[in-house]
Amino acid sequence: PGEASAASSLSFSVNTTADPHNAQPGNGQCADSTGQCTLRAAIEAPDAAAPGSVTTITVPAGTYILSLGTLPVTANTVVVTGAGPGATVLEGPRSAAHRQLINVAAASIATFSQLTLTRGAASKASGGALTNSGTTTLDAVTVTNNRSASGGGLTNSAGAALRLVDTTVSDNMASTGGNSHQGARVAGS
């Protein structure tokens, strides 16, 4: 039997607004096939890291169109910090195939700060910008102009923890659930 890997600390600075996948997720580096550190490549890097690992991602000002769809935070602790809610914008694809922006899995701890989440869409699911099944903090985040079946902007699943600090949730739309689920849906609290 092999030895268990030790938890690690990774730190990445995104250097392009492009959206390609990490060329080799789990190798401890943030690089797409051209060597650029995309937000998606940085989010994918901790997927294969040892349990308990922490990944810190700095995202400069710019509009980051998530053309490949949902950013899945599937494991460990991920901290994403932008340059401010008006400066760093994570946006759904500008096509008919709009998709949810972020999905945080039950095994994950995520913090998103100093950014805007907009134009996410989950037509047959909940949370156009974010569905949280783990432990997530939004700090100084603007969640606006998203849509989904319910929880237009945000959905927090039963058993999950979602903390909003200095965060604005506005102008989101849900196609079901009436007005009670327009901005956010919190299950099983």
Side-chain angles (χ1 to χ4, degrees), residues 1 10 32-34 38 44 46 62 66-67 87 104 106 116 136 139-140 145 159 186:
L10 302 171
D32 67 7
S33 62
T34 66
T38 70
E44 292 170 345
L66 304 178
S67 59
V104 178
T116 294
T136 298
D139 185 0
N145 197 25
V186 179

Side-chain angles (χ1 to χ4, degrees), residues 5 7 17 20 24 31 33 38 63 69 71 75-76 82 85 94 96 112 120 122 126 138 146-147 166 179 181 183 189:
S5 298
T17 59
Q24 295 180 349
S33 62
T38 70
T63 298
L71 289 174
N76 295 307
R94 294 176 181 166
F112 296 91
S126 297
L138 300 182
N146 298 284
R147 67 180 194 270
D166 295 328
N179 290 333
H181 294 161
S189 49

Side-chain angles (χ1 to χ4, degrees), residues 27-136:
N27 70 353
Q29 298 183 17
C30 176
D32 67 7
S33 62
T34 66
Q36 296 291 309
C37 181
T38 70
L39 175 58
R40 184 172 303 278
I43 293 279
E44 292 170 345
D47 284 353
S53 294
V54 176
T55 301
T56 302
I57 303 166
T58 302
V59 186
T63 298
Y64 296 80
I65 297 173
L66 304 178
S67 59
L68 297 180
T70 305
L71 289 174
V73 179
T74 61
N76 295 307
T77 298
V78 176
V79 178
V80 178
T81 304
T88 302
V89 178
L90 307 188
E91 184 174 307
R94 294 176 181 166
S95 69
H98 292 284
R99 297 193 181 123
Q100 180 180 66
L101 301 180
I102 302 167
N103 188 310
V104 178
S108 300
I109 299 170
T111 299
F112 296 91
S113 63
Q114 299 293 325
L115 48 86
T116 294
L117 303 175
T118 191
R119 294 179 48 95
S123 61
K124 296 181 182 180
S126 297
L130 169 74
T131 290
N132 177 49
S133 297
T135 301
T136 298

